[in-house]
Amino acid sequence: CDNIAAINISKNLVLHSRTKHIEIKHHFIRDHVQKGTFELVYVKTEEQLADIFTKPLQEDTYVWLRDRLGMELINDQ
């Protein structure tokens, strides 16, 4: 996750007025973080691996993310 506030909300046991209207899926995540099923870890925006699937990227960023995923370029010969 690249949102520190979201990570902090997931770890906080107290619901505040700011968290009153959070969607159900976020409560699901929060519950599982509290149970220890999984952990949310901060990842810098420029290191988000999902960006390769969701955003147009400059070639150098695309290649870096592609390599991090272990993908290989297949050429037709």
Side-chain angles (χ1 to χ4, degrees), residues 19-30:
T19 61
K20 181 178 173 183
H21 299 289
I22 293 178
E23 293 182 35
I24 298 291
K25 64 182 176 182
H26 297 109
H27 288 290
F28 173 83
I29 292 170
R30 184 171 180 250

Side-chain angles (χ1 to χ4, degrees), residues 1-76:
C1 182
D2 64 355
N3 186 328
I4 294 174
I7 293 171
N8 290 337
I9 288 171
S10 75
K11 293 178 181 178
N12 189 352
L13 299 176
V14 179
L15 289 176
H16 297 283
S17 61
R18 295 183 130 186
T19 61
K20 181 178 173 183
H21 299 289
I22 293 178
E23 293 182 35
I24 298 291
K25 64 182 176 182
H26 297 109
H27 288 290
F28 173 83
I29 292 170
R30 184 171 180 250
D31 290 343
H32 281 279
V33 167
Q34 290 174 1
K35 290 177 186 175
T37 307
F38 50 79
E39 177 183 4
L40 294 180
V41 179
Y42 178 76
V43 177
K44 295 181 201 174
T45 301
E46 58 272 5
E47 295 178 4
Q48 288 289 338
L49 295 178
D51 285 355
I52 197 169
F53 303 112
T54 60
K55 297 179 181 177
L57 301 170
Q58 293 183 356
E59 184 178 2
D60 59 332
T61 304
Y62 171 81
V63 170
W64 186 82
L65 290 173
R66 184 192 68 200
D67 292 345
R68 294 281 311 242
L69 288 170
M71 298 171 65
E72 294 182 23
L73 182 61
I74 299 175
N75 292 327
D76 291 333

